[in-house]
Amino acid sequence: MNVFLLEDDAEASDFIARGLRERGHHVETETDGRAAILKLGASEFDVLILDRMVPGLDGLAVLRSLRAMGRTTPTLLLTAMAQIVDRVDGLEAGADDYLVKPFAFAELAARVAALGRRAPVGEVPALLRVADVEMNLLRREVRRGGRLVELQPREFALLEQLLRNAGRVVTRTMLLDRVWNFGFDPKTNIVETHMSRLRGKLNQGFTRSAIRTVRGSGYMMEDDGC
């Protein structure tokens, strides 16, 4: 597996890279955020490990830039910033996982392996469709009634979960786990905020809401409308 590591601490970078290489991974390293964006724009990796506090451009800004470019490479944020708000910021920016320093290398290796096991796009249906909403997973495009709907990475992930579970209620807990990778409830309105934005974009120009709220349970999409 090809792994990219952004870490400005030489000792930490060497420790992580050496350990991953011993497990059979190819690892490329960088210490500067701006240089990282250039390298990531020119090469493909299976997993990214980004430290948040690096020179040039911090890891969070690097991640936001990559997601804005449409790069969906599974990404682990590695940082000493351990507050809930820091985790939420990182996950909202598009991170798939978040590990706080100091950490056990065995856990880091396991998390990297888990991210790398995600099914390639070619192994899942290219199109998801419910009623007049269609998602193209290969092109990362969403259309409603043929109109292109521009979504941010988390909004796209929310909609994907709803489309994959059409006709079934998707709970807030499920969305926290599958979209933000939270194994606990952080007691924020992160789901509601993103769902509101997603609805606003999907419903623009339509009289029927594409997503139905099931009071006290969660959200769902149905072929026969909401």
Side-chain angles (χ1 to χ4, degrees):
M1 188 162 60
N2 291 322
V3 179
F4 179 84
L5 171 64
L6 174 62
E7 171 61 73
D8 65 323
D9 183 288
E11 185 175 352
S13 178
D14 180 66
F15 170 71
I16 295 169
R18 185 173 65 253
L20 291 175
R21 287 169 183 148
E22 288 174 353
R23 283 163 173 75
H25 303 304
H26 172 77
V27 183
E28 291 193 31
T29 64
E30 185 54 70
T31 60
D32 179 271
R34 296 188 186 280
I37 288 181
L38 293 176
K39 184 175 289 187
L40 290 169
S43 303
E44 292 287 343
F45 294 89
D46 299 305
V47 174
L48 311 180
I49 304 173
L50 306 179
D51 185 7
R52 283 193 61 169
M53 296 181 287
V54 294
L57 200 64
D58 67 68
L60 206 58
V62 170
L63 179 58
R64 289 192 176 112
S65 296
L66 292 173
R67 295 304 189 236
M69 291 188 289
R71 303 294 289 272
T72 59
T73 310
T75 301
L76 168 71
L77 283 180
L78 185 64
T79 174
M81 301 173 69
Q83 299 299 311
I84 291 297
V85 66
D86 299 320
R87 295 173 186 262
V88 170
D89 285 346
L91 294 166
E92 284 190 326
D96 299 277
D97 201 354
Y98 197 103
L99 184 60
V100 176
K101 298 178 179 178
F103 58 90
F105 179 78
E107 181 180 4
L108 171 65
R111 288 175 182 253
V112 169
L115 291 175
R117 285 195 298 268
R118 292 190 170 186
V121 172
E123 295 182 9
V124 297
L127 292 175
L128 297 175
R129 184 185 293 110
V130 175
D132 57 354
V133 178
E134 180 180 283
M135 173 178 286
N136 188 311
L137 293 167
L138 294 176
R139 297 181 180 177
R140 304 290 293 180
E141 288 181 353
V142 171
R143 294 179 183 275
R144 183 175 186 192
R147 175 180 63 85
L148 184 66
V149 181
E150 298 287 349
L151 299 180
Q152 294 299 312
R154 292 296 173 186
E155 296 163 354
F156 189 96
L158 276 175
L159 181 59
E160 181 179 353
Q161 288 300 318
L162 293 171
L163 289 170
R164 289 188 183 279
N165 292 278
R168 299 191 296 269
V169 175
V170 181
T171 67
R172 182 177 184 275
T173 300
M174 291 167 63
L175 292 172
L176 283 169
D177 177 56
R178 298 176 186 178
V179 177
W180 282 273
N181 203 35
F182 276 129
F184 63 98
D185 188 341
K187 303 302 181 183
T188 74
N189 63 349
I190 186 173
V191 173
E192 291 76 12
T193 297
H194 281 73
M195 190 64 72
S196 176
R197 293 172 185 166
L198 173 59
R199 273 184 162 143
K201 293 178 180 181
L202 280 179
N203 295 339
Q204 186 175 358
F206 295 87
T207 57
R208 177 181 66 82
S209 177
I211 301 169
R212 179 161 70 92
T213 297
V214 181
R215 191 173 299 278
S217 298
Y219 308 90
M220 69 184 300
M221 298 182 70
E222 299 174 305
D223 283 324
D224 59 352
C226 303

